Amino acid sequence: MEKVLEFLKKAGVWYLATVDEEGNPQVRPFGAQNIFEGKLYIQTGLKKKVAKQMLAHPQIAISGMADGKWIRLNAEAVHDERIEAQQSMLDANPSLKSMYAAGDGNTAVFYLKNATAEICSFTAEPEVIRF
């Protein structure tokens, strides 16, 4: 899981895919990630469509590139409403503090459960990481 965190940090911007209410895929750029209590977390605003989509259909996919490699990650997004989880995310990603605050009713953090990540390149076999 630490390797996945470092890969996403190095990518800077990675892409989150969700499913909307009609069953259509939706992809958008993200860039906030954190490990809290041994789980990999991502963050968004609870008022955004992406949060509503993850709450309704928690199966997600993430993809990003760094150093000539790419990651494909599939997981279940689990909403964690605890203030401590929100604060940990904000502390790890200080740029979010201009838009979000722990306990503000909008900050939403999700940890990734039953995750499988593949780090791939054109020159090596994929490295598979499950957590």
Side-chain angles (χ1 to χ4, degrees):
M1 176 184 352
E2 297 277 344
K3 190 162 192 173
V4 172
L5 174 74
E6 291 309 314
F7 191 98
L8 295 175
K9 283 182 178 181
K10 196 176 283 188
V13 175
W14 41 269
Y15 297 88
L16 173 70
T18 59
V19 176
D20 70 16
E21 49 280 344
E22 285 90 36
N24 297 310
Q26 300 295 321
V27 179
R28 76 274 292 155
F30 266 64
Q33 60 281 314
N34 183 41
I35 290 180
F36 176 68
E37 295 183 345
K39 297 175 183 164
L40 181 62
Y41 280 76
I42 60 174
Q43 187 274 337
T44 190
L46 198 54
K47 298 173 185 174
K48 293 182 177 181
K49 287 182 182 180
V50 64
K52 292 175 174 106
Q53 291 164 3
M54 286 191 287
L55 290 168
H57 306 284
Q59 288 305 119
I60 59 136
I62 290 173
S63 183
M65 291 191 72
D67 297 333
K69 297 180 180 181
W70 61 95
I71 191 168
R72 291 189 303 231
L73 189 154
N74 292 287
E76 178 183 341
V78 180
H79 186 214
D80 185 340
E81 297 182 53
R82 294 178 300 151
I83 302 291
E84 299 85 0
Q86 294 173 17
Q87 190 61 54
S88 178
M89 176 62 78
L90 295 171
D91 290 344
N93 297 273
S95 64
L96 295 174
K97 291 181 179 182
S98 66
M99 299 175 285
Y100 300 100
D104 65 3
N106 185 36
T107 300
V109 294
F110 294 81
Y111 67 85
L112 305 186
K113 179 179 170 184
N114 300 324
T116 301
E118 290 182 321
I119 298 176
C120 305
S121 74
F122 289 115
T123 59
E125 289 296 313
E127 179 181 358
V128 178
I129 303 165
R130 291 182 174 82
F131 55 95

